[in-house]
Amino acid sequence: MEAERRRDTRRWWTPWAYLAAPLVLLVVFTHVPAVSMFVYSLTDWDGLSPTRNFVGVDNYLDLFTRPKMLQVFAVSLFYLAGAAMQIVVALYFATILSFDTRFRNVFKGILFFPYLINGVAIGFVFLYFFQPGGTLDTVARLFGLEPHLWLGDPDLVNTSLAGVSVWRFMGLNMVLFLGAIQSIPQHLYEAASLDGANRWQQFRHIIAPGIKPVISLSAILAISGALSVFEIPFIMTGGSNNSETFVIQTIKLAFNFNKVGLASAAAFVLLAVVLLVTWVQRRLIPEERVELS
């Protein structure tokens, strides 16, 4: 009896022994900074002074009374639309490359390669791509189109920047979808072919239901990514011409204007918005266990 109790105790503690290190890292590098950020958001700290005065919710009131806050969230809509397009295109390529296609491994590498490039390097490359008389204008002239100020026109800059994000992250979504599609049992495709199902019908009745959890995950990543865009617009425009995102605004508040307390409030609001959107998405589209047989 005593030996059985010890075995049960060891069985209970073993998983926690393996989880100890990841949990410590998670708490130290995620939860502790989040709590510290919330504490800073209740002060008027400038990031340099050794003293911090408690101001309560004044930073949050100041933040929500700034007209530019609504503007930066409107900028996120461009990236959200680009993310939706990115998911659709990635799903299209993943479906095609999951079947017997010539040179499919080559196409996989080509499509995934942009994600491996550093974001700063991508920003500088596309600066030359969009500059007046640059690559895009040269190609446009071949089709009889007039050149544009792609990064200088407030009506075009966010569309151009969102297009760069689609080009960069589409390969990541494609790989996620491709892995999910390849996990679907092969005999389902064979049975569908015997029943006369074409590729669209196989996608609709086998692939789409089979990878629903991965599509849901990609949607969450797309929404959070659209709200927290930073690298590409910061490198390419610095937030000028109505291209400033929420994160760029937060960085400027902290390091340009030395308002760390206000910037911490902005960062905490962004965290709350991402968590709220994720919760709503989970409620509207609950995660279901998919069983295909």
Side-chain angles (χ1 to χ4, degrees):
M1 191 68 178
E2 184 66 24
E4 184 177 348
R5 187 181 297 110
R6 290 180 180 177
R7 187 165 53 252
D8 291 340
T9 303
R10 186 167 57 252
R11 189 177 302 168
W12 187 86
W13 276 107
T14 299
W16 289 105
Y18 285 103
L19 290 173
L23 287 175
V24 169
L25 293 175
L26 179 66
V27 170
V28 171
F29 292 104
T30 302
H31 294 84
V32 171
V35 173
S36 299
M37 180 178 65
F38 178 71
V39 173
Y40 292 149
S41 71
L42 302 177
T43 68
D44 62 353
W45 190 39
D46 60 3
L48 299 174
S49 174
T51 60
R52 299 190 293 267
N53 298 317
F54 180 78
V55 296
V57 296
D58 288 354
N59 285 328
Y60 293 93
L61 295 176
D62 185 12
L63 195 65
F64 282 103
T65 54
R66 289 172 176 260
K68 288 194 68 176
M69 181 179 179
L70 295 178
Q71 179 182 338
V72 294
F73 273 118
V75 171
S76 297
L77 296 177
F78 288 90
Y79 294 95
L80 188 59
M85 180 187 303
Q86 167 186 299
I87 290 176
V88 172
V89 175
L91 189 56
Y92 172 77
F93 281 115
T95 303
I96 290 178
L97 296 177
S98 64
F99 296 109
D100 291 330
T101 306
R102 293 186 64 186
F103 306 113
R104 63 176 180 174
N105 289 331
V106 175
F107 288 117
K108 289 177 187 177
I110 292 174
L111 293 173
F112 184 68
F113 178 72
Y115 179 70
L116 302 177
I117 305 176
N118 181 270
V120 176
I122 290 177
F124 282 112
V125 168
F126 276 91
L127 273 176
Y128 291 100
F129 181 79
F130 285 119
Q131 72 177 355
T135 306
L136 186 56
D137 282 344
T138 302
V139 174
R141 287 194 187 96
L142 297 177
F143 294 93
L145 301 176
E146 294 294 327
H148 296 281
L149 293 175
W150 301 100
L151 300 180
D153 188 345
D155 295 329
L156 294 174
V157 60
N158 290 313
T159 303
S160 302
L161 295 175
V164 177
S165 295
V166 171
W167 180 83
R168 183 187 180 192
F169 293 105
M170 190 273 294
L172 174 62
N173 284 277
M174 183 204 69
V175 170
L176 292 176
F177 293 146
L178 194 60
I181 292 173
Q182 291 178 345
S183 68
I184 297 175
Q186 190 65 31
H187 67 84
L188 295 177
Y189 298 113
E190 297 172 358
S193 299
L194 292 175
D195 290 337
N198 55 32
R199 293 301 191 195
W200 163 248
Q201 291 170 330
Q202 291 180 19
F203 172 81
R204 180 181 176 185
H205 297 288
I206 298 177
I207 295 177
I211 65 172
K212 185 179 178 181
V214 180
I215 295 177
S216 178
L217 172 63
S218 295
I220 293 174
L221 294 176
I223 294 171
S224 61
L227 293 172
S228 57
V229 175
F230 172 68
E231 279 180 322
I232 291 174
F234 184 77
I235 294 298
M236 296 181 67
T237 65
S240 60
N241 298 323
N242 294 330
S243 65
E244 186 175 76
T245 64
F246 195 90
V247 177
I248 293 178
Q249 176 182 263
T250 302
I251 294 296
K252 287 183 177 180
L253 286 174
F255 299 105
N256 291 11
F257 301 104
N258 294 328
K259 295 183 177 181
V260 175
L262 185 60
S264 298
F268 194 80
V269 167
L270 178 61
L271 174 62
V273 170
V274 171
L275 293 177
L276 177 62
V277 170
T278 303
W279 179 81
V280 171
Q281 193 267 350
R282 287 294 189 184
R283 296 290 293 179
L284 295 177
I285 310 176
E287 184 175 345
E288 301 176 356
R289 185 176 180 85
V290 178
E291 293 184 2
L292 296 174
S293 59

